Amino acid sequence: FDRYRSPVKRLVKEDHGILGLAFSPDSSWVLSTGYNGRSRIWDWSSETAVSEYAGAGTAIQWSPDGRWIAWKDEFQWELIRFDPPTGWSVVPEVPPAVASETNAGPAVVRFHPAGDRWASGSYDGIRLYPKLGRKEAAHWPCDDGMIRHLSFSADGTRLWALSLSNRITLAVEGDASRPRLRLIERQPIPNSGRGDIAPSGEAWIVSTNGSFWCDAQGSWQPVALPPRSVIGSIHSSGKLLASWG
């Protein structure tokens, strides 16, 4: 859809439901994952599928250079290399260091701004992976429910997260081959509800019981949103919210 809510293209033409969609950074490609257990990459200009993969992740993100895709469903992680126009290939699996990782449930994934690491958030906490393996992954356990939102700072030195109960600030240390995570701060959030967090560290919580905005220092303020608003996404600055209701 364009900004006037007019349909522009219809790429996914099967009757099965769609789990997720993600544009590549240059908007040349679209990744779709479906309830039929298949994922496809579509050429935006020609409206044709150029690759298909047996699997359908519920959490997906492209790397900044558009050549890698972090992908997860409820039972497995995969890192996929995309080589247009020939297709994609799955990076060989490395057994996770923590057994619960494979059953951690749907998660959020985010690439480091440099594209050489990627982070995941789930029921068992936050992990920061080297791009080409898991053996050296950093793990920060979380004891207050699922990590629902992640965002790296623009310089890649901080990783912000929202769990069910807290706004979390982690320092990103080490290097691309041996990343580390260190807790800087964990602050209670004022309300439960849907939210999101920006690279600036500013965050939003939208709820029927009250909505809130958080500045980069972690101070929450109530905001007046229309009843039954639903959070869509927030601007990279953290100061603008797209919602509907």
Side-chain angles (χ1 to χ4, degrees):
F1 292 85
D2 62 15
R3 59 178 176 164
Y4 302 108
R5 297 182 293 179
S6 300
V8 177
K9 295 185 181 183
R10 186 170 185 260
L11 300 179
V12 184
K13 301 168 184 175
E14 293 84 358
D15 293 331
H16 61 78
I18 299 299
L19 282 172
L21 292 169
F23 275 96
S24 64
D26 64 0
S27 300
S28 296
W29 315 95
V30 180
L31 172 65
S32 68
T33 65
Y35 283 101
N36 64 346
R38 311 292 296 181
S39 296
R40 290 183 175 181
I41 291 182
W42 302 79
D43 184 318
W44 177 250
S45 61
S46 66
E47 304 182 29
T48 58
V50 297
S51 292
E52 183 170 337
Y53 176 69
T58 53
I60 50 178
Q61 195 192 28
W62 294 77
S63 64
D65 63 5
R67 293 302 180 91
W68 296 85
I69 301 166
W71 178 98
K72 187 186 186 295
D73 66 11
E74 287 193 278
F75 305 106
Q76 63 180 334
W77 291 101
E78 287 178 328
L79 190 62
I80 299 168
R81 180 173 177 83
F82 178 54
D83 296 304
T86 57
W88 51 15
S89 59
V90 179
V91 175
E93 295 275 345
V94 179
V98 180
S100 63
E101 181 191 36
T102 57
N103 296 315
V108 58
V109 293
R110 291 290 182 267
F111 270 94
H112 188 274
D116 55 6
R117 285 154 282 180
W118 59 287
S120 70
S122 194
Y123 283 111
D124 65 342
I126 301 169
R127 284 184 169 81
L128 181 59
Y129 296 90
K131 190 164 66 175
L132 297 180
R134 295 182 182 166
K135 289 183 178 179
E136 304 299 334
H139 179 219
W140 184 81
C142 181
D143 57 4
D144 62 350
M146 177 183 281
I147 299 295
R148 300 178 295 171
H149 304 281
L150 289 174
S151 186
F152 282 100
S153 61
D155 62 5
T157 62
R158 296 287 185 270
L159 181 58
W160 317 99
L162 289 180
S163 69
L164 291 177
S165 305
N166 291 284
R167 173 184 176 272
I168 300 160
T169 306
L170 299 174
V172 178
E173 300 176 337
D175 55 28
S177 61
R178 291 177 178 268
R180 299 193 306 272
L181 293 172
R182 175 175 56 85
L183 178 66
I184 296 176
E185 192 172 32
R186 182 160 63 171
Q187 301 168 313
I189 61 177
N191 201 355
S192 60
R194 293 188 177 274
D196 205 352
I197 193 163
S200 62
E202 299 181 26
W204 292 75
I205 296 291
V206 176
S207 170
T208 55
N209 297 322
S211 299
F212 296 84
W213 170 77
C214 175
D215 64 21
Q217 287 70 47
S219 176
W220 291 91
Q221 304 173 27
V223 292
L225 294 179
R228 298 181 296 279
S229 292
V230 177
I231 193 166
S233 63
I234 57 176
H235 189 269
S236 58
S237 69
K239 292 180 171 60
L240 299 174
L241 169 71
S243 70
W244 67 92

